């Protein structure tokens, strides 16, 4: 059985924090001391998860260097890139439609939040095309 690595634990902790803040942010009011305590516990747990590393076994090192695993990791990264690219594009289109219908400026901020990473993705795509072709 494989052990859970630090990245998975850190991601799980951040997701739990996001859900906690989303659902209980407006319902539960904390005193200043409670809020500082919660933030410090979360900060310390993130530090521990980030800086504590486990030793890799010889079998894991062999699997890391295997070309098939590297190829599969690259394919997964390419698929994730495509999903992020299309999600950002759809977010931009939907925010333009939402601003056109409601004239609410919050849609402009959503548009800017999606357009900046989308522009960075496009610029990096062009630079990589020029570099590797």
């Amino acid at each position: 059985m494989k052990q859970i690595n630090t990245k998975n634990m850190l991601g799980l902790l951040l997701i739990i924090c996001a859900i906690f803040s989303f659902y209980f942010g407006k319902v539960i009011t904390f005193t200043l001391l409670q809020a500082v305590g919660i933030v410090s516990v979360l900060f310390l747990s993130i530090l521990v998860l980030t800086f504590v590393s486990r030793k890799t076994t010889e079998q894991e090192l062999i699997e890391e260097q295997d070309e098939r695993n590297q190829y599969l990791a690259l394919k997964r990264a390419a698929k994730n890139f495509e999903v992020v690219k299309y999600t950002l594009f759809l977010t931009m289109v939907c925010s333009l439609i939402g601003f056109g219908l409601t004239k609410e400026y919050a849609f402009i901020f959503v548009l800017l939040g999606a357009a900046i990473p989308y522009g960075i993705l496009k610029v990096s795509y062009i630079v990589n095309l020029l570099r590797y072709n």
Side-chain angles (χ1 to χ4, degrees):
M1 183 175 149
K2 287 193 171 186
Q3 296 177 355
I4 297 176
N5 61 8
T6 306
K7 289 181 185 176
N8 290 342
M9 289 299 293
L10 182 63
L12 182 64
L13 181 64
L14 291 176
I15 289 172
I16 289 170
C17 292
I19 291 171
F20 182 76
S21 68
F22 178 73
Y23 283 115
F24 299 115
K26 300 291 182 185
V27 177
I28 299 174
T29 56
F30 294 114
T31 63
L32 181 62
L33 185 62
Q34 289 173 334
V36 168
I38 289 172
V39 168
S40 63
V41 166
L42 289 176
F43 182 71
L44 286 175
S45 60
I46 288 173
L47 281 177
V48 167
L49 287 174
T50 303
F51 292 114
V52 173
S53 63
R54 64 181 182 90
K55 296 182 179 180
T56 56
T57 62
E58 185 177 339
Q59 179 67 26
E60 289 173 345
L61 288 175
I62 292 171
E63 287 177 2
E64 248 179 49
Q65 296 172 354
D66 190 15
E67 289 181 13
R68 290 173 296 175
N69 289 340
Q70 291 176 359
Y71 176 70
L72 291 175
L74 284 174
K75 283 182 73 171
R76 281 193 309 268
K79 290 291 182 186
N80 290 340
F81 173 76
E82 292 293 322
V83 168
V84 168
K85 184 173 68 171
Y86 291 129
T87 303
L88 288 173
F89 181 74
L90 286 176
T91 303
M92 291 184 337
V93 169
C94 291
S95 63
L96 284 174
I97 292 170
F99 179 73
L101 293 175
T102 63
K103 301 296 185 212
E104 183 69 35
Y105 286 103
F107 288 110
I108 296 297
F109 296 121
V110 172
L111 175 68
L112 288 175
I116 291 171
Y118 186 75
I120 292 170
L121 285 175
K122 284 298 183 182
V123 167
S124 65
Y125 179 74
I126 291 170
V127 167
N128 285 331
L129 276 178
L130 294 174
R131 182 177 179 191
Y132 292 113
N133 280 340

